[in-house]
Amino acid sequence: MSRTRVLAHARLRTAVLAALLAPLAACSSSTSPGTSDAKGTPGAADRPVTVTVTPTGDRVPAGKPVRVTAAGGSLTAVTVTDGKNRRLAGKVAADGRSWVSDRKAAPGATYAVTAATRTKGGTARTTRAAFTTAPADRVNKVDWRPGTGSTVGVAQPISLAFDHPVRNRAEVEKQLKITTSNGTEGSWGWIRDWSGRDRVDWRPRTYWKPGTKVTLNAELNGTDSGAAGGWFVRDYTSTFTIGSRQIVKVDLDSHQLTLVRDGRTVRRIPVSGGTPGGDKRSWRGTAVLMAKEGTINMNSETVGLADAYNKMVDYSMRLTWSGMYAHAAPWNARYFGNANRSSGCIGMSDANAAWFYGQVRPGDPFEMTGKDTKGVVEPGNGFGAWNLSWAEWRQKSALR
């Protein structure tokens, strides 16, 4: 074959090969930054979303919300659960870039975080993270009233007494939520309990309306008391109902007790109050029946009256922490309706005490009047908040 014919044949093969490859080149394209082709070939827009969880690590400080942020895409959902499968609720921001828990991380807990994301190109992915919080060096506990499921009188406050001092009062009060069936107006007030402990009570502006359903949700888990008070490591809840409108009126000057129910006088009972002129006088103002304690031992040494008495007393109804009761006092029978000769309590006959004990319930107000008394019942001496005006009581809130 001549050289000329070989070159011509090579050119022909090259031309045919180019013709065959031309259609293949037309079916492909390069993906420019930030785009994808019609078949969804990943590009820069489908790079994974960068998710940041705060806090992160082991034994991190508690008492802060959990924060989740996204860069290079958006959050579609976030779930945070602790080791007991309890969720920290929260909401993704409108721009999809962040999520913050409504509650704070509690001490001594392990949290699992699941973040669902979507890239700019529309690809859904899931990111997981976990962290643990340092345990509480001190725990603050709560003693609360009334108990759940109870039916109480129209003057019953919601009362929380704390084992240790509370310095972050505003932060604690923000976590206390009251729900009523009829929108009852009320306010929290911080006081010092008779025991010396910090206490916060919620009372309505006026006596409760009978039949009101009340729920306390104290969402305290993860809240720091401040200073040396320690952490709260659980929530508290109580649901109760307001009973009939019963008011006990005690006139220490006329020595009469009157039970008024729904505006109607049910019975008048002759009584004997505290002895005038000294430490044995009764209190005046509004006290609230705290508990029906039945037959108990009353010892004068516990209330600073030396050896004045030490006896078993029937139908005992506590009115103050300082030791004022309504109860049966048959040893004072000659004074009922005539004179005040008790050691500070409101005494009545066995028969009247038995009847009265069966009629009243915790939360009923005792409105007491008299000229020669110790003074007005203080807010922390039992439930004496009703002796403050509404304006005075509201000023005791840490959020005012």
Side-chain angles (χ1 to χ4, degrees):
M1 181 180 293
S2 68
R3 177 178 177 79
T4 302
R5 291 182 63 187
V6 170
L7 291 174
H9 183 67
R11 291 191 197 98
L12 177 62
R13 290 177 58 190
T14 302
V16 172
L17 181 62
L20 290 173
L21 290 176
L24 295 177
C27 289
S28 66
S29 65
S30 61
T31 303
S32 60
T35 66
S36 63
D37 66 11
K39 295 182 179 180
T41 302
D46 274 327
R47 290 174 182 169
V49 179
T50 301
V51 175
T52 303
V53 177
T54 307
T56 185
D58 293 327
R59 298 176 68 87
V60 300
K64 297 180 183 289
V66 179
R67 298 180 183 275
V68 182
T69 59
S74 60
L75 297 166
T76 57
V78 175
T79 302
V80 179
T81 56
D82 65 11
K84 296 181 179 179
N85 206 33
R86 296 173 299 196
R87 293 184 62 174
L88 284 183
K91 188 176 181 181
V92 175
D95 61 6
R97 295 181 180 178
S98 63
W99 180 96
V100 181
S101 65
D102 297 332
R103 300 287 301 274
K104 300 171 183 175
T110 298
Y111 289 95
V113 182
T114 302
T117 61
R118 190 174 300 280
T119 67
K120 292 180 179 179
T123 301
R125 290 186 174 88
T126 300
T127 299
R128 291 180 173 84
F131 66 92
T132 64
T133 53
D137 53 356
R138 192 178 197 190
V139 174
N140 203 347
K141 298 180 181 179
V142 180
D143 175 24
W144 75 98
R145 298 181 182 220
T148 192
S150 59
T151 298
V152 296
V154 296
Q156 176 70 51
I158 301 160
S159 182
L160 286 74
F162 304 97
D163 280 5
H164 303 305
V166 178
R167 295 295 176 263
N168 293 339
R169 291 183 171 184
E171 288 303 310
V172 169
E173 192 174 327
K174 288 176 184 177
Q175 302 306 119
L176 307 178
K177 298 174 174 54
I178 302 298
T179 305
T180 70
S181 59
N182 53 18
T184 302
E185 181 184 6
S187 177
W188 291 102
W190 290 85
I191 57 180
R192 181 59 58 90
D193 185 71
W194 187 261
S195 65
R197 297 184 296 171
D198 283 344
R199 194 176 110 193
V200 63
D201 287 6
W202 193 96
R203 54 151 276 203
R205 182 169 187 167
T206 58
Y207 290 159
W208 294 100
K209 181 179 178 181
T212 303
K213 306 292 185 183
V214 187
T215 299
L216 160 69
N217 281 313
E219 298 178 339
L220 292 171
N221 191 15
T223 303
D224 184 7
S225 299
W231 291 88
F232 296 101
V233 296
R234 58 162 293 189
D235 296 335
Y236 301 83
T237 185
S238 181
T239 299
F240 58 95
T241 303
I242 307 301
S244 59
R245 183 180 176 85
Q246 291 194 141
I247 299 174
V248 181
K249 297 182 179 292
V250 182
D251 188 334
L252 295 170
D253 294 333
S254 65
H255 321 294
Q256 294 289 322
L257 177 152
T258 304
L259 176 62
V260 179
R261 182 180 298 139
D262 298 325
R264 181 178 64 87
T265 297
V266 179
R267 181 183 288 192
R268 289 189 175 88
I269 296 174
V271 297
S272 179
T275 304
D279 293 338
K280 295 182 179 181
R281 292 174 294 175
S282 297
W283 294 100
R284 70 176 185 274
T286 299
V288 177
L289 180 56
M290 300 176 66
K292 296 162 68 174
E293 299 180 4
T295 300
I296 63 173
N297 175 256
M298 290 192 179
N299 188 322
S300 57
E301 292 180 354
T302 63
V303 292
L305 293 177
D307 59 352
Y309 57 87
N310 182 13
K311 60 185 69 178
M312 301 304 294
V313 179
D314 295 329
Y315 306 111
S316 298
M317 295 161 272
R318 180 181 284 275
L319 298 177
T320 70
W321 285 127
S322 62
M324 184 178 184
Y325 285 80
H327 59 76
W331 56 87
N332 259 358
R334 66 183 181 276
Y335 298 120
F336 298 149
N338 300 314
N340 293 323
R341 289 294 183 271
S342 80
S343 295
C345 295
I346 300 167
M348 62 194 81
S349 70
D350 281 336
N352 281 331
W355 177 87
F356 184 65
Y357 191 91
Q359 300 298 310
V360 294
R361 60 167 53 96
D364 286 345
F366 280 58
E367 298 177 349
M368 304 174 294
T369 59
K371 295 177 182 177
D372 195 353
T373 64
K374 293 180 182 179
V376 174
V377 178
E378 296 179 351
N381 187 10
F383 301 131
W386 296 103
N387 296 308
L388 299 180
S389 69
W390 177 238
E392 291 171 330
W393 179 251
R394 292 180 70 204
Q395 289 302 313
K396 291 187 172 294
S397 167
L399 300 179
R400 294 293 172 187

